[in-house]
């Protein structure tokens, strides 16, 4: 089976998923851009599967959409996996598939509550999504949303949002074997809550800093935990100012963006993860934390919460507008006996074991085999989808 999977750019998460998928089919990965718009990942470089980057194959002055069409026509896939339903490249891939009668599967981690919805946009979205032959989504909230948009239940699979659990577990084990070395190398405190996020509004970091200030003031321990923020973004100057104004400069540590090889070290030496987002389609940092054996405090707005957080066993959820709720959990977790926290970390690691790149690959192939059995005829609605694609910006 010739399978094409399209991503905007190949980051470490995508490479792990595709590496698991490659042995199961004749795989070609198409990345639109060599560099991510959101993350300062190093280029994927050499990968153990066939890859084409549109940045490389598009001729100077030629619309990259034409390069995508040409690549699809040359490769003649049996099925296409498309990232989302809104970017012009996703829409162009769907248009190409509809015009040629090739099945296309949408990959999505959108859920009902991750953005404000309007009747007009949801109607258009539903019309587009119904033109796909199936959906590979992240988890249970995303299954509900795909159904609401008109995808039949039997044509939906989960497992889209996974990470290389072994990579994070191995890095964490390395850090824990030599903690003094890595505390010094990364300038880390001995005990800390970890936040790994872009410094943007929806991550809710100013609110978290206010809650952390209350924690420091309320903590009965002689030595309350510190807070480590790993990431970067446009809100950094505001956060630095808030840290200074709050007198937290000795307790809050800004690590900046860290590459894929470094992040398991920081997870491995942490005591717990906090993800305080007011909106989050999934939250792969929860996967990463659990793979390293950390309990997680996760906002109930995060798409991963219903599937990954088992209350009191792998972590806890909280309302990201209720400072008291998170404060109570921070106090509770940091005062638990070490043995009980370790037990939560073990449960977290067991839970995330079911969400692996192999899970992504097996579900993708199961869905592909089911979809390909269906009848797929060329449809002129591909021209309408192509017109919609032309209204989109660079992405």
């Amino acid at each position: 089976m010739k399978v094409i999977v399209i991503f905007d750019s190949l980051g470490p998460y995508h490479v792990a998923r595709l590496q698991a998928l490659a042995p199961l089919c004749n795989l070609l990965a198409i990345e639109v851009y060599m560099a991510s718009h959101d993350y300062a990942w190093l280029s994927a470089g050499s990968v153990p599967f066939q890859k084409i980057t549109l940045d490389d194959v598009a001729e100077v002055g030629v619309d990259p959409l034409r390069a995508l069409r040409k690549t699809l026509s040359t490769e003649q896939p049996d099925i296409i996996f498309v990232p989302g339903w809104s970017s012009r490249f996703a829409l162009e891939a769907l248009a190409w598939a509809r015009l040629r009668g090739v099945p296309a599967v949408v990959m999505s981690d959108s859920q009902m509550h991750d953005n404000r919805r309007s009747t007009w946009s949801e109607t258009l979205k539903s019309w587009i999504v119904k033109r796909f032959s199936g959906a590979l989504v992240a988890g249970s909230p995303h299954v509900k949303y795909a159904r609401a948009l008109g995808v039949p239940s039997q044509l939906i699979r989960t497992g889209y949002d996974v990470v290389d659990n072994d990579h994070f577990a191995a890095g964490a084990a390395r850090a824990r074997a030599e903690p003094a070395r890595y505390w010094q190398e990364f300038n880390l405190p001995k005990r800390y809550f970890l936040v790994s996020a872009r410094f943007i509004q929806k991550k809710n970091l100013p609110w978290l800093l206010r809650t952390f200030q209350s924690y420091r003031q309320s903590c009965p321990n002689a030595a309350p935990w510190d807070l480590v923020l790993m990431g970067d973004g446009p809100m950094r100057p505001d956060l630095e100012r808030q840290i200074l104004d709050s007198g937290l400069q000795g307790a809050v540590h800004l690590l900046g963006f860290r590459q894929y090889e470094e992040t398991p070290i920081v997870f491995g030496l942490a005591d717990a993860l906090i993800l305080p987002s007011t909106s989050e389609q999934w939250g792969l940092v929860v996967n990463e934390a659990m793979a390293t054996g950390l309990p997680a405090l996760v906002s109930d707005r995060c798409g991963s919460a219903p599937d990954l957080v088992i209350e009191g066993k792998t972590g806890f959820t909280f309302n990201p507008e209720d400072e008291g709720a998170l404060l109570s959990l921070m106090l509770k977790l940091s005062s638990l006996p070490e043995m009980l926290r370790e037990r939560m970390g073990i449960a977290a690691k067991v839970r995330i074991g079911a969400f692996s790149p192999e899970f992504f690959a097996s579900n993708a192939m199961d869905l592909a085999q089911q979809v390909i059995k269906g009848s797929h005829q060329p449809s002129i609605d591909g021209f309408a989808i192509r017109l919609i694609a032309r209204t989109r910006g660079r992405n």
Side-chain angles (χ1 to χ4, degrees):
M1 183 190 303
K2 180 65 175 289
V3 176
I4 285 183
V5 180
I6 302 171
F7 284 114
D8 290 340
S9 63
L10 289 185
Y13 310 120
H14 310 112
V15 171
R17 298 169 200 174
L18 295 175
Q19 188 170 353
L21 180 61
L24 306 181
C25 61
N26 179 10
L27 173 66
L28 170 64
I30 297 178
E31 68 172 351
V32 177
Y33 304 111
M34 186 172 295
S36 169
H37 298 155
D38 297 322
Y39 301 99
W41 288 320
L42 297 175
S43 172
S46 177
V47 292
F49 47 82
Q50 187 182 4
K51 179 191 76 167
I52 291 175
T53 303
L54 293 186
D55 276 349
D56 292 338
V57 301
E59 300 174 14
V60 176
V62 173
D63 184 350
L65 291 179
R66 187 183 301 177
L68 176 60
R69 290 198 299 271
K70 182 178 179 181
T71 300
L72 293 173
S73 297
T74 299
E75 297 295 333
Q76 291 296 307
D78 296 306
I79 190 168
I80 306 172
F81 284 79
V82 179
W85 48 63
S86 60
S87 77
R88 62 180 185 143
F89 289 97
L91 290 167
E92 181 59 41
L94 176 60
W96 183 92
R98 295 292 293 176
L99 290 169
R100 286 160 181 77
V102 175
V105 169
V106 62
M107 301 182 294
S108 172
D109 52 14
S110 287
Q111 55 167 326
M112 184 70 74
H113 305 295
D114 55 19
N115 281 302
R116 291 184 178 180
R117 308 294 183 188
S118 71
T119 301
W120 181 89
S121 66
E122 292 302 286
T123 299
L124 176 61
K125 187 185 301 180
S126 178
W127 184 88
I128 292 170
V129 169
K130 288 176 182 177
R131 269 66 199 168
F132 285 98
S133 303
L136 180 64
V137 302
S140 53
H142 315 86
V143 169
K144 293 178 183 177
Y145 190 40
R147 287 175 182 159
L149 291 173
V151 184
S153 297
Q154 68 271 21
L155 297 178
I156 303 173
R157 299 291 186 279
T158 59
Y160 177 49
D161 276 346
V162 299
V163 305
D164 185 346
N165 295 335
D166 293 340
H167 169 78
F168 285 92
R174 190 166 64 251
R176 289 164 184 157
E178 299 182 85
R181 169 190 168 184
Y182 292 107
W183 281 328
Q184 181 177 9
E185 183 177 329
F186 286 77
N187 195 25
L188 291 168
K190 296 295 192 297
R191 310 299 300 269
Y192 60 92
F193 294 103
L194 172 65
V195 176
S196 177
R198 287 184 292 152
F199 293 177
I200 57 177
Q201 185 173 0
K202 75 172 186 176
K203 301 298 181 178
N204 205 22
L205 298 178
W207 178 88
L208 173 64
L209 288 176
R210 291 193 298 273
T211 307
F212 179 69
Q213 183 178 18
S214 298
Y215 162 78
R216 297 284 294 191
Q217 295 167 349
S218 305
C219 190
N221 297 341
W225 294 357
D226 283 11
L227 178 66
V228 170
L229 302 181
M230 180 167 60
D232 213 335
M235 292 185 68
R236 183 175 183 127
D238 294 334
L239 296 174
E240 290 175 335
R241 190 160 44 249
Q242 183 179 354
I243 291 167
L244 187 62
D245 292 345
S246 302
L248 292 173
Q249 57 267 38
V252 178
H253 309 263
L254 301 178
L255 292 193
F257 178 82
R258 295 287 174 161
Q259 290 294 339
Y260 188 60
E261 296 303 320
E262 298 177 304
T263 53
I265 302 294
V266 184
F267 278 100
L269 296 179
D271 292 279
L273 176 82
I274 302 178
L275 182 57
S277 305
T278 56
S279 174
E280 196 77 58
Q281 291 180 317
W282 178 261
L284 286 173
V285 294
V286 181
N287 299 57
E288 296 170 347
M290 289 188 171
T292 64
L294 287 186
L297 305 180
V298 181
S299 159
D300 59 17
R301 311 288 172 82
C302 298
S304 60
D307 292 292
L308 300 186
V309 182
I310 303 173
E311 295 289 336
K313 293 185 177 180
T314 66
F316 299 93
T317 59
F318 59 89
N319 180 341
E321 297 175 353
D322 184 351
E323 182 180 315
L326 178 56
L327 171 60
S328 175
L329 291 174
M330 294 172 73
L331 290 168
K332 178 177 183 177
L333 197 57
S334 62
S335 62
L336 278 179
E338 195 75 27
M339 181 183 67
L340 294 182
R341 280 200 305 272
E342 288 179 358
R343 188 178 298 171
M344 291 183 70
I346 292 169
K349 203 167 184 179
V350 170
R351 181 62 176 169
I352 204 61
F355 294 79
S356 65
E358 291 72 26
F359 180 58
F360 163 87
S362 63
N363 277 6
M365 287 307 301
D366 179 60
L367 181 58
Q369 289 163 0
Q370 178 177 351
V371 163
I372 286 175
K373 292 176 183 177
S375 176
H376 303 280
Q377 300 298 322
S379 173
I380 61 172
D381 60 19
F383 290 113
I385 297 169
R386 181 164 290 165
L387 286 174
I388 297 171
R390 299 255 174 214
T391 68
R392 304 294 162 138
R394 181 174 184 261
N395 293 329

